[in-house]
Amino acid sequence: MTTQTTLQQELDQAFANWTKATQQFGNEQYNLVPSEGSWTPGQIVQHLTLANGGFADMLYGETRQTERPADQHIGLLKNIMLNFDSKMEAPDFVRPEIKNYEKEPHLDNIKAINETLTKAIADLDLDATCLGFELPGIGYVTRLEALHFVMLHTIRHTNQLNRAYQQLAN
């Protein structure tokens, strides 16, 4: 099982990479579609902000004692989220609007979400099962699994941001 320190370091690294990937875009590039059918960099960051912010809220919501290994679904989450060849459909509640986004407020949100997650790692029982949301195909997850989801989801979309940057640079 991942220790709190290791989890914190991995999450911090994922958020640092997300920040760096976001900062690389000029203000004009931030709202350009890099390829047909894809989101703009601003939409990708908005999606991550909505999803990761929702998970941050879920960590502080209602929980119950877990009756299985608290890290049981982490391997499955890794297989799903780190398969960069698979395309997924975002649920409506985390689908970004089609509009122009500003980078600076997004960077502020990234920092705020990271601070909330850092506090959760330090203060909460990570083995408890969160009852605020069921992951499709998995069900309720523990706080530990939720934090891994946020980290893996961030890695996935940071990769997407970096690919978008390459496409827009060409």
Side-chain angles (χ1 to χ4, degrees):
M1 176 145 355
T2 306
T3 66
Q4 287 177 306
T5 302
T6 303
L7 177 59
Q8 184 64 61
Q9 290 169 344
E10 291 173 348
L11 194 67
D12 285 345
Q13 187 61 58
F15 272 69
N17 291 342
W18 176 20
T19 299
K20 184 177 176 186
T22 301
Q23 289 171 329
Q24 70 188 332
F25 294 96
N27 289 331
E28 286 182 25
Q29 286 180 316
Y30 202 59
N31 290 294
L32 294 177
V33 175
S35 62
E36 188 176 333
S38 68
W39 287 341
T40 67
Q43 286 175 298
I44 296 167
V45 175
Q46 178 67 12
H47 164 71
L48 259 179
T49 300
L50 292 169
N52 290 353
F55 271 88
D57 292 343
M58 184 178 85
L59 293 171
Y60 286 93
E62 185 182 354
T63 62
R64 70 167 184 242
Q65 186 173 349
T66 303
E67 309 212 350
R68 60 174 176 78
D71 62 351
Q72 179 175 322
H73 297 304
I74 292 173
L76 175 61
L77 291 170
K78 281 183 183 175
N79 289 339
I80 294 167
M81 299 311 286
L82 299 181
N83 178 355
F84 299 127
D85 295 326
S86 73
K87 186 156 171 72
M88 299 179 203
E89 226 19 71
D92 288 342
F93 61 93
V94 291
R95 188 167 298 159
E97 285 182 65
I98 298 172
K99 70 174 206 169
N100 283 339
Y101 291 94
E102 292 184 38
K103 191 168 55 168
E104 291 308 316
H106 275 161
L107 291 168
D108 292 341
N109 288 337
I110 293 169
K111 185 177 181 198
I113 294 167
N114 194 23
E115 289 170 358
T116 300
L117 297 175
T118 295
K119 185 169 175 27
I121 290 170
D123 295 349
L124 300 175
D125 172 10
L126 301 185
D127 291 345
T129 296
C130 300
L131 301 177
F133 177 73
E134 291 186 64
L135 278 179
I138 295 177
Y140 293 117
V141 294
T142 63
R143 285 177 173 142
L144 180 65
E145 292 164 337
L147 287 159
H148 274 84
F149 177 89
V150 168
M151 179 180 56
L152 295 164
H153 189 236
T154 300
I155 291 168
R156 179 179 184 82
H157 287 295
T158 298
N159 180 276
Q160 185 183 10
L161 282 169
N162 288 326
R163 283 194 326 263
Y165 182 76
Q166 292 303 319
Q167 290 169 322
L168 290 169
N170 292 335

